[in-house]
Amino acid sequence: MIKRLLLILLCVSVLFGITACNAVDDAVNKAEDIVDSVMVAFKICDFKTTTEFIDMDKYEDTYSLFSDNQMYLTKFFDDLEYDIVSSKQIDDNTVNVTAKITAIDMLPVLRRLLSETVQFMSTATYADAFVAEKKSIERMEKILNSIANDDELETVTNEVVIKVVKNGSKWRIVPEEAFINAVSGDFPKALKEIESYDAE
């Protein structure tokens, strides 16, 4: 009788163990699928899809820049690469996905853009301020397009922990600063540095 009870308890514990493992695997798989979907969307500059899996309110300025300049950024994001290193379920609603992300380093890009734009503006003379602004924007677009076609642009690789959380029935990425910097080639960080130059 005791042996039979022990056998039943053993079977039940094994069953619960299998169920728990399946639940963990399911959560990890869903989190990794979300990361895959977002990275592919970034690579093809499908920013609309990224918002389905990421709440970008905190990075509204960066997102607006991406959306407004999608035509020029396509070539930069085309070289985006990633590799999921590991995943760990923290609780029932949270999975941390560690990934190595390689992107075009945007700091040298913005430095070059600023330098060539300033050089152009220093030699150009326009009596009308509106015309001057329009011409400078047109020139910046040409410069950016030229930079995008450079085959020897530097890249930067970051290993980041991507937090994926379940809210209701949906899994979404929490857009922490390290992740946004990684997928954009440190664009927000580079933008702050360029803005500091401008302030000086």
Side-chain angles (χ1 to χ4, degrees):
M1 183 66 178
I2 293 175
K3 287 183 179 180
R4 187 177 179 184
L5 285 172
L6 288 173
L7 182 60
I8 292 172
L9 287 172
L10 179 62
C11 290
V12 169
S13 65
V14 169
L15 180 61
F16 273 115
I18 292 172
T19 303
C21 286
N22 287 339
V24 170
D25 289 342
D26 186 49
V28 167
N29 288 337
K30 285 182 178 178
E32 291 184 352
D33 286 345
I34 294 296
V35 172
D36 284 330
S37 297
V38 166
M39 294 305 298
V40 169
F42 269 119
K43 188 173 177 66
I44 62 175
C45 283
D46 182 4
F47 299 123
K48 183 178 179 181
T49 295
T50 62
T51 59
E52 294 178 14
F53 302 107
I54 308 176
D55 183 2
M56 292 293 288
D57 289 347
K58 184 179 177 182
Y59 298 93
E60 186 176 352
D61 291 343
T62 300
Y63 179 74
S64 295
L65 280 168
F66 287 169
S67 299
D68 294 343
N69 296 282
Q70 184 171 342
M71 180 173 66
Y72 304 103
L73 292 175
T74 299
K75 293 176 182 178
F76 294 111
F77 278 101
D78 189 51
D79 289 328
L80 185 66
E81 296 179 0
Y82 74 100
D83 179 43
I84 293 177
V85 178
S86 63
S87 298
K88 181 179 180 181
Q89 183 168 4
I90 306 304
D91 54 44
D92 291 344
N93 299 312
T94 308
V95 175
N96 283 347
V97 179
T98 302
K100 279 187 178 179
I101 300 174
T102 299
I104 297 295
D105 189 348
M106 294 304 291
L107 181 55
V109 169
L110 292 185
R111 281 176 176 167
R112 181 173 162 187
L113 176 63
L114 179 64
S115 173
E116 293 186 21
T117 301
V118 169
Q119 185 178 1
F120 167 75
M121 292 304 296
S122 65
T123 57
T125 54
Y126 300 102
D128 190 299
F130 175 77
V131 173
E133 183 179 358
K134 183 181 177 182
K135 290 294 183 182
S136 65
I137 292 173
E138 289 175 356
R139 185 62 180 176
M140 286 179 71
E141 289 174 348
K142 288 181 180 179
I143 294 170
L144 190 58
N145 190 52
S146 174
I147 296 172
N149 286 302
D150 188 338
D151 293 329
E152 298 183 0
L153 292 175
E154 298 175 39
T155 60
V156 58
T157 300
N158 292 290
E159 183 169 304
V160 295
V161 176
I162 306 168
K163 183 186 288 186
V164 188
V165 299
K166 185 179 181 182
N167 188 359
S169 60
K170 292 184 178 181
W171 288 85
R172 291 171 67 86
I173 289 176
V174 177
E176 296 177 332
E177 186 175 358
F179 172 67
I180 298 300
N181 274 318
V183 296
S184 65
D186 287 333
F187 182 82
K189 190 190 299 183
L191 194 59
K192 286 179 182 177
E193 182 171 325
I194 295 300
E195 287 173 346
S196 70
Y197 292 157
D198 190 45
E200 293 171 2

